[in-house]
Amino acid sequence: TVSGAGPLLSFVLAAIAFGLEHAVPGGSVVWIIIRQACWANIVVGVFNLLPGLPLDGGRMLRAVIWKASGRPAVATVAAAWVGRLIAVALIALPVTWTLAHGENLDLTNVIWLVAIAAFMWMGASQSIKATRVRERLPSVSARRLARKAIPIPADLPLSEAVRRAEEAGARALVVVDPDNAPIAIVS
């Protein structure tokens, strides 16, 4: 439901702009700006509904797959791969269409398509990487990652602090003030 808020807002803004189009004189500069705002919000809303991560439509697809499979990691990876396919299609379809009809490619349009496709590809790839990391986290123990540390007074000579650390098997020193509050860590 939350994923639908972005596209819904775009469509609401498009509807408001459509209503304003009829309140201002047609063909005026204000009318043209309002009309462009209407169409821009429609395009953004439709694009955002495409079913691939990182778009809102991809989040909706992820929710559906998660519900069906019961496996959030599988759902994320699947929605991310759909996002990657959409990224490739964003470039391939318009370029193929243009060339098949014997038209020249507009460099500005190609640059925009590549930028949007790159955003999609990187967002989808980041979702896959984050999911892989999250899958491994349950096997990581904080105890295994933590280093033993001992408290030492700030005025203790370094040689004595190192001796105490070796004796305790500690790999870090926590320097404490006279109230025993930590003020520094020495690794």
Side-chain angles (χ1 to χ4, degrees):
T1 358
V2 173
S3 298
L8 179 63
L9 179 61
S10 293
F11 294 133
V12 167
L13 291 173
I16 291 168
F18 182 76
L20 288 174
E21 266 186 64
H22 301 293
V24 298
S28 68
V29 173
V30 173
W31 181 85
I32 292 170
I33 291 170
I34 291 171
R35 185 172 182 90
Q36 291 299 318
C38 177
W39 281 108
N41 277 291
I42 290 170
V43 169
V44 168
V46 169
F47 181 75
N48 210 3
L49 283 173
L50 292 176
L53 284 175
L55 302 174
D56 287 331
R59 297 185 197 297
M60 292 178 205
L61 175 63
R62 178 179 172 258
V64 168
I65 295 171
W66 184 353
K67 179 73 173 171
S69 70
R71 298 175 58 199
V74 168
T76 301
V77 171
W81 272 102
V82 172
R84 284 179 165 181
L85 291 173
I86 290 170
V88 170
L90 278 173
I91 297 171
L93 294 177
V95 168
T96 303
W97 175 272
T98 302
L99 295 177
H101 286 83
E103 299 173 16
N104 292 328
L105 290 173
D106 179 7
L107 185 59
T108 304
N109 288 342
V110 171
I111 290 171
W112 273 110
L113 290 172
V114 168
I116 293 168
F119 161 77
M120 292 270 312
W121 186 274
M122 288 186 294
S125 297
Q126 188 59 36
S127 294
I128 292 170
K129 286 177 189 173
T131 299
R132 298 291 185 232
V133 168
R134 260 186 255 117
E135 284 179 317
R136 291 187 198 117
L137 279 180
S139 65
V140 176
S141 162
R143 182 175 297 281
R144 281 188 20 219
L145 296 176
R147 291 192 243 178
K148 184 176 181 181
I150 61 167
I152 60 160
D155 59 352
L156 188 71
L158 183 58
S159 60
E160 178 60 17
V162 170
R163 188 194 67 72
R164 288 183 187 182
E166 287 175 354
E167 187 178 279
R171 295 187 54 209
L173 305 171
V174 178
V175 181
V176 295
D177 65 12
D179 297 325
N180 219 22
I183 56 174
I185 296 177
V186 179
S187 181

